[in-house]
Amino acid sequence: MSTETTGRATDQAIAKIKELISSGEFTAGSRLPTERELTQRFGLSRSSLREAVRALALVGALESRVGDGTYVTTLEPDLLLTGIGFVSDLVEAGSLLEIHRVRRILEPAATRLATPRLTDEDFEGLRDCLHRMETAKEMAAFIEADTAFHRVILDACGNSALASN
């Protein structure tokens, strides 16, 4: 079987598992049927199913428990979007640019929501982050301060999906 065919089969398995979750057949905390049952149900190979489960676990939708099976996670936005943030480090430049564009749309909305909620402590944290960015000698230190700056705003926005951005 070619890599392209395997990839399509994995995509099909991901789509079928997502369908089971979105239809409500499997809800947060539900244990998925065994690998054998799912491969028979979907008409796919075990390797494609395993790759699909790994991919959905990577983005936080599923959790594999050794010796106990695979479970649907809590499906909380912050958990799911953390996985997307991790994956964004691994995607092609074009896809990364698309993710960045979405963030540019969401971050001003988060800032508007956060502004009336920011406390004196938050403002002090923002000032500290700005100072760290201005004085950073290495790119890693700048990125860390920039990330902390955005985290203060996103935590104050009052929306868990935006806060996970």
Side-chain angles (χ1 to χ4, degrees):
M1 187 179 290
S2 73
T3 304
E4 186 177 320
T5 305
T6 303
R8 278 190 297 222
T10 300
D11 290 345
Q12 288 175 346
I14 289 170
K16 289 176 187 278
I17 293 169
K18 284 172 41 180
E19 186 179 308
L20 292 174
I21 294 169
S22 62
S23 73
E25 185 171 341
F26 294 103
T27 59
S30 297
R31 184 178 183 274
L32 293 183
T34 65
E35 189 176 89
R36 169 175 268 169
E37 291 173 87
L38 288 176
T39 56
Q40 290 174 349
R41 182 175 182 171
F42 297 160
L44 298 168
S45 71
R46 284 185 178 210
S47 63
S48 296
L49 181 66
R50 286 180 186 145
E51 286 300 315
V53 168
R54 279 189 209 113
L56 290 168
L58 182 65
V59 297
L62 296 179
E63 177 186 5
S64 293
R65 300 178 191 165
V66 178
D68 192 28
T70 302
Y71 291 81
V72 178
T73 66
T74 61
L75 301 175
E76 291 294 324
D78 58 337
L79 176 65
L80 298 176
L81 291 173
T82 297
I84 292 169
F86 174 76
V87 171
S88 72
D89 293 338
L90 306 175
V91 298
E92 296 176 15
S95 298
L96 189 55
L97 183 58
E98 289 176 9
I99 291 169
H100 180 69
R101 286 179 182 145
V102 169
R103 290 191 71 168
R104 288 179 56 113
I105 293 167
L106 294 176
E107 285 180 349
T111 302
R112 277 191 297 283
L113 290 170
T115 300
R117 296 180 162 158
L118 290 169
T119 65
D120 289 340
E121 185 179 312
D122 292 330
F123 283 113
E124 184 59 38
L126 292 171
R127 277 190 288 278
D128 176 62
C129 293
L130 289 171
H131 176 71
R132 289 177 21 220
M133 282 188 271
E134 290 169 356
T135 60
K137 302 282 189 232
E138 298 174 1
M139 184 57 73
F142 179 86
I143 291 170
E144 183 180 317
D146 180 65
T147 301
F149 180 89
H150 289 285
R151 176 56 40 210
V152 170
I153 293 169
L154 292 171
D155 285 345
C157 78
N159 183 306
S160 62
L162 284 175
S164 302
N165 184 357

